[in-house]
């Protein structure tokens, strides 16, 4: 197992600034799938952070109950709705996204689980699975047969336990994550302090972030940022590395002026511009 520390040098070797002649069609189109009654905010946060991280176009696929919420709170996003009111029952869309994120706020209704499986069977696009997507597939691990190689999973601690089972130490946790990454040919973003990206035998340990990120919706914004890089054409491991670094950097920047307690997920989005500016020479 090799460990690489993600510092500014590592980031600058991977980061590509937006070209002068770029337009929304060259910056990638991301599809964000999820949400359920009472949890549409997760899709708002993921969609906003995705577009604010350089993606050209973002479409959200949500239950009907979230349509007005998303269109009003984030007019820059395009919105498609499921046929049902409060949860996702069938994932059908007539577009060709460059990358897809699924699971944030999605819930685990029986219809939703069935729709998720059908989606996995048909999807060939670069993919990120988060939140309830992870919870569902943890209970149905044979479904990994339908997950594309290099798919990114972004579990928090409890979701990781459901995925891997228990562990007795931090070292065992990472060892099990490495084994799982190798066996399923996926990338696991192990959220924590520090956050680590497990890609086969290689573990990338992030250098940014602090306790301000311990707030509701923080993970939704991280998923949006990583998906943005996926849609822009970055290799999945580089998308994960860049996303985790930028996400943590927003907290490092903002906490200096607003402290830890007052920092919320929306502040991650508000400070993305400053984080990207810090990467410029």
């Amino acid at each position: 197992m090799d460990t690489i520390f993600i510092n500014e040098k590592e980031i600058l070797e991977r980061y590509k600034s937006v070209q002068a002649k770029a337009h929304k069609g060259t910056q990638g189109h991301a599809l964000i799938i999820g949400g359920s009654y009472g949890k549409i905010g997760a899709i708002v946060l993921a969609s906003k952070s995705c577009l604010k991280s350089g993606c050209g176009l973002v479409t959200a696929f949500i239950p009907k109950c979230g349509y007005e919420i998303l269109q009003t709170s984030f007019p820059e996003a395009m919105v498609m709705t499921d046929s049902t009111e409060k949860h996702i029952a069938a994932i059908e869309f007539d577009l060709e996204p460059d990358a897809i994120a699924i699971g944030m706020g999605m819930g685990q209704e029986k219809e939703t689980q069935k729709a998720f499986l059908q989606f996995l069977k048909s999807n060939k696009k670069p993919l990120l699975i988060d939140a309830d997507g992870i919870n569902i597939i943890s209970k149905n691990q044979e479904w990994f047969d339908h997950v594309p190689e290099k798919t990114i999973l972004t579990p928090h601690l409890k979701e990781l336990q459901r995925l891997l089972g228990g562990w007795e130490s931090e070292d065992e946790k990472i060892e099990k994550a490495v084994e799982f990454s190798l066996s399923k040919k996926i990338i696991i973003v192990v959220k924590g302090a520090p956050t680590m990206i497990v890609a086969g035998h290689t573990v990338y340990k992030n250098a940014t972030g602090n306790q301000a990120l311990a707030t509701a919706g923080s993970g939704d914004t991280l998923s949006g940022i990583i998906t943005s890089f996926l849609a822009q054409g970055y290799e999945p491991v580089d998308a994960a590395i860049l996303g985790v670094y930028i996400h943590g950097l927003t907290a490092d920047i903002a906490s200096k002026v607003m402290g830890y307690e007052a920092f919320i997920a929306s502040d991650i989005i508000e400070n993305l511009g400053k984080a990207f500016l810090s990467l410029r020479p």
Side-chain angles (χ1 to χ4, degrees):
M1 182 171 63
D2 299 319
T3 301
I4 297 174
F5 291 90
I6 306 171
N7 51 30
E8 188 175 45
K9 178 178 178 295
E10 288 288 330
I11 292 302
L12 292 176
E13 289 177 356
R14 293 171 169 81
Y15 173 65
K16 297 171 285 190
S17 59
V18 179
Q19 298 300 303
K21 294 185 179 180
H23 55 81
K24 64 183 180 182
T26 63
Q27 286 299 106
H29 187 170
L31 176 62
I32 311 291
I33 303 172
S36 57
Y37 184 79
K39 295 181 180 178
I40 299 299
I43 302 301
V44 174
L45 290 168
S47 299
K48 277 188 175 184
S49 61
C50 185
L51 202 63
K52 288 273 284 186
S53 297
C55 195
L57 297 162
V58 172
T59 297
F61 186 95
I62 56 175
K64 282 185 177 180
C65 65
Y67 180 77
E68 290 186 4
I69 296 169
L70 196 50
Q71 291 275 257
T72 302
S73 62
F74 188 40
E76 293 90 347
M78 295 176 285
V79 182
M80 301 177 70
T81 62
D82 192 276
S83 59
T84 58
E85 183 70 23
K86 293 187 176 182
H87 63 271
I88 287 173
I91 301 169
E92 299 172 347
F93 49 88
D94 57 354
L95 56 89
E96 285 289 330
D98 297 294
I100 301 174
I102 187 168
M104 296 76 72
M106 189 168 68
Q108 300 181 54
E109 297 283 346
K110 288 184 178 179
E111 284 186 307
T112 303
Q113 294 193 42
K114 182 178 179 181
F116 181 45
L117 175 58
Q118 293 306 311
F119 163 78
L120 290 177
K121 287 180 176 179
S122 62
N123 174 61
K124 304 300 180 186
K125 300 293 183 179
L127 180 64
L128 180 146
I129 302 175
D130 188 20
D132 283 316
I134 296 173
N135 292 329
I136 292 169
I137 205 168
S138 293
K139 295 186 291 187
N140 303 276
Q141 296 208 7
E142 67 275 12
W143 294 7
F144 273 104
D145 291 343
H146 307 295
V147 173
E149 290 185 17
K150 299 182 181 180
T151 289
I152 301 169
L153 270 63
T154 54
H156 60 50
L157 183 61
K158 289 294 185 182
E159 292 162 353
L160 187 66
Q161 287 176 337
R162 296 181 190 116
L163 191 67
L164 304 180
W167 51 79
E168 297 297 325
S169 66
E170 285 296 303
D171 287 343
E172 185 185 0
K173 178 179 76 173
I174 297 303
E175 287 171 4
K176 293 186 78 168
V178 167
E179 291 172 5
F180 200 86
S181 172
L182 286 166
S183 66
K184 306 301 182 186
K185 299 180 181 179
I186 60 171
I187 297 164
I188 306 174
V189 176
V190 181
K191 291 186 281 196
T195 291
M196 288 178 273
I197 296 102
V198 178
H201 288 292
T202 307
V203 177
Y204 299 88
K205 187 175 290 188
N206 190 43
T208 61
N210 56 55
Q211 56 266 50
L213 293 170
T215 185
S218 177
D220 301 319
T221 63
L222 175 60
S223 292
I225 296 166
I226 295 173
T227 305
S228 179
F229 287 125
L230 274 179
Q232 291 173 62
Y234 284 88
E235 282 294 312
V237 67
D238 289 335
I241 289 168
L242 286 163
V244 166
Y245 185 89
I246 290 290
H247 180 260
L249 194 55
T250 63
D252 291 341
I253 291 168
S255 61
K256 292 175 182 177
V257 295
M258 64 187 304
Y260 302 130
E261 293 85 356
F263 186 90
I264 60 174
S266 295
D267 295 314
I268 295 170
I269 297 169
E270 291 302 314
N271 284 277
L272 280 168
K274 293 177 182 177
F276 280 105
L277 282 172
S278 74
L279 301 181
R280 294 185 180 180

